[in-house]
Amino acid sequence: MDVMTAYEQWLKDFAADADTVNDLKAIANDPKEIEDRFYTELSFGTAGMRGVLGAGMNRMNRYNVRRATKGLAQYLLQNPEQAARGVVIAYDSRRFSAEFAKDTALVLAQEGVPAYLFDALRPVPVLSYAVRHLHAIAGIVITASHNPPQYNGYKVYGEDGAQVGPEAAEGITKIIRATRYTDCTLMDEQEAIAKGLLKYIGNKEVDDDYIAEVKTLCVQPEMLEKMGSELSIVYTPVHGSGNVPVRRILKEIGISNVSVVKEQELPDPAFSTVKVPNPEEPDTFRLAIKLADEKGAKVIFATDPDCDRLGVAVKTSAGDWQLLTGNQIGCVLLHYILSAKKKQGKLPANGAAVKSIVSTSLANKIAASFGVEMFETLTGFKFIGEKIQQFQDTGSHTFLFGFEESYGFLSSTFVRDKDGVNASMLIAEVACACAAQGITLYDYVQSIFAEYGYFVEKVVSVTLPGKEGLGRMKEIMAGLRQNHPTELSGLKVTAVRDYKTGLRTAGGVSEPTGLPASDVLYFELEKGNWVCVRPSGTEPKIKLYVNTNASDKATAEKLNVALREAAENLLK
């Protein structure tokens, strides 16, 4: 079906929907916009769907949500007994999140699959926990995480509480593609409730058990009892779903002096106080820093709208504010957990940590120093979730901590995705432990560098939107595979990992990477430096990860700048 035929078909199929018709008619004289909305279908992968809100095949709207849900239902119904266990549905504060969530529940009900729908905003980790806790067959979260307000998305989780893997995503996609939009219908809400096919989850059925479980992750509860009231913290939920659970967990572990940024406390689909609701961005902390200065706080943290990511700002000895990178937060939490458990005599002999391949190599050095094995996975927290399950199935290792450089952290096994509530509690505990020693969280970060060397990690994102952008990304990756660099900024490429072919090649000898196929190239360089090139799975971007290290900050940063410039030239 060509672009204009698809456009006209939507006008016909959804003629009764005035909002959709008006949206489509508004672009009638904009062929480029029509092409962008209809040249392809919104992709469904291991991260589900994510896109700009609007009418069209390549946009997030209730018709794509309904179609995806029917596809998922039919996939689950290949095993009716398992499908009868139901699907848990959560949503965040974005535009149409509540509406998409209810549509999802009523499509499932229409298909005969029970739906368990949260009655208000819930974070991603609570959904992951609920899938396991309620023994559901799957879960869905309506969210676009930290993307700008014009986006929304649809994440699908398996019965293990992790996002679905490639095989399941492929199976679901096949059914979705064979499903007509007009065949996706909703059951009446009251009928669904009467038939037991829709149940609303209130604030006591899952939340209490989840919070109780998270509290067990405190590493030094006795220290918190002494220091919890001494520490002043500023927290911002950035208009998202972290507001209630993060504040609750801090209160229940004894952190009593928490100030919340009032302007960002309540849900706001426009995220009007920030450029983007992303805890990686300095602008996100602007109001929090003002409040922290008023309160005399030395630690700030922020969670994104679906509360799976955590950002942290710390006050330095010079009195200014420093945003920690996701890698730095991950290394602080890893080092704290391992060192505290070692002192307590609770560090298991088969301890394991897990990180993505694009996360800092500093974590490998930290883990090794404690005799803990570090495992690496592809980007995507579902792969960390898979590792946790493997450890439990085989009994080979005891999971201690997992993280991604993109501000995702986890120290539990009862959740299988990034957990901003878990991470908020831990970073507050670390800050308390630092205060007990008369140092700041910033001092702690510097002590890690002093012990293991200074590591600098930068991510460069190049946006390539639309049909042309997709083609350009494919050209770049193909070109790098055919003619990969032999040196970058004077550093020799010592090995190339091509995760698409599954091979690591060094000195003309190839060996398996041991990881699933993925469109990623990783260039190992001299002295432990590296560059990785990866097209984003959820956004029209190609990403460069540039990691350098040296014995001092200035050398590591200078090398990173030079290497980053050389790496960016690879994309031209």
Side-chain angles (χ1 to χ4, degrees), residues 4 27 83 86 145 172 191 193 208 286 332 337 390 448 481 488 490 497 504 522 528 542 554:
M4 286 309 300
I27 63 169
S145 192
I172 296 165
E191 180 186 356
I193 292 171
D208 288 355
R286 177 174 42 83
V332 163
I337 290 169
Q390 287 173 18
I448 291 173
R481 284 192 168 90
L488 287 168
R497 302 183 211 168
R504 175 185 181 273
Y522 187 111
I542 192 163

Side-chain angles (χ1 to χ4, degrees), residues 15 59 67 75 106-107 125 128 131-132 211 234 238 274 292 296 374 403 426 439 441 452 479 493 502 535:
R59 291 289 186 271
R67 186 173 180 233
Y75 177 81
L106 296 177
V107 169
S128 176
V131 171
R132 299 172 60 83
I211 291 293
V234 166
V238 197
V274 293
M374 177 63 76
F403 81 99
L426 286 176
I439 65 172
L441 189 53
Y452 297 98
V493 176

Side-chain angles (χ1 to χ4, degrees), residues 327-498:
N327 282 309
Q328 289 170 348
I329 298 168
C331 287
V332 163
L333 294 179
L334 176 65
H335 188 274
Y336 173 75
I337 290 169
L338 300 187
S339 58
K341 286 185 178 293
K342 183 177 180 180
K343 288 176 184 175
Q344 295 167 342
K346 295 180 180 179
L347 193 61
N350 65 344
V354 189
K355 72 175 186 68
S356 63
I357 58 173
V358 296
S359 299
T360 180
S361 301
L362 172 58
N364 300 66
K365 293 187 73 173
I366 292 171
S369 72
F370 287 95
V372 169
E373 188 169 356
M374 177 63 76
F375 291 82
E376 296 193 347
T377 69
L378 293 175
T379 303
F381 223 87
K382 59 185 171 290
F383 296 115
I384 295 178
E386 286 178 2
K387 271 295 176 189
I388 295 171
Q389 193 62 47
Q390 287 173 18
F391 297 154
Q392 292 189 333
D393 289 345
T394 64
S396 63
H397 293 82
T398 299
F399 175 75
L400 297 170
F401 186 67
F403 81 99
E404 289 187 323
E405 53 77 36
S406 55
Y407 295 73
F409 317 99
L410 182 69
S411 69
S412 80
T413 58
F414 51 81
V415 168
R416 298 296 171 86
D417 204 348
K418 302 179 288 290
D419 190 340
V421 182
N422 174 185
S424 295
M425 182 196 73
L426 286 176
I427 204 71
E429 181 178 341
V430 177
C432 279
C434 289
Q437 298 174 50
I439 65 172
T440 66
L441 189 53
Y442 178 78
D443 295 331
Y444 189 17
V445 175
Q446 301 311 307
S447 71
I448 291 173
F449 285 140
E451 182 175 357
Y452 297 98
Y454 205 95
F455 285 70
V456 177
E457 306 87 16
K458 296 292 183 181
V459 182
V460 179
S461 294
V462 179
T463 301
L464 298 165
K467 187 177 180 179
E468 296 82 2
L470 185 63
R472 179 61 187 141
M473 280 194 279
K474 290 179 178 178
E475 286 177 6
I476 289 170
M477 296 306 292
L480 287 175
R481 284 192 168 90
Q482 291 169 6
N483 297 291
H484 63 73
T486 56
E487 64 86 27
L488 287 168
S489 190
L491 292 173
K492 183 181 177 182
V493 176
T494 57
V496 177
R497 302 183 211 168
D498 186 343

Side-chain angles (χ1 to χ4, degrees), residues 10-25 54-56 61-64 66 96 100 103:
W10 268 61
L11 282 169
K12 178 181 176 182
D13 288 345
F14 307 122
D17 182 345
D19 289 340
T20 294
V21 169
N22 290 338
D23 189 10
L24 292 175
K25 285 186 175 179
N61 51 65
R62 66 192 323 162
Y63 301 112
N64 267 324
R66 293 174 182 180
F96 302 112
F100 290 169
D103 276 11

Side-chain angles (χ1 to χ4, degrees), residues 532-547:
C532 184
V533 188
R534 182 182 76 88
S536 172
T538 55
E539 302 167 89
K541 295 178 179 179
I542 192 163
K543 294 186 175 183
L544 278 172
Y545 300 82
V546 181
N547 279 235

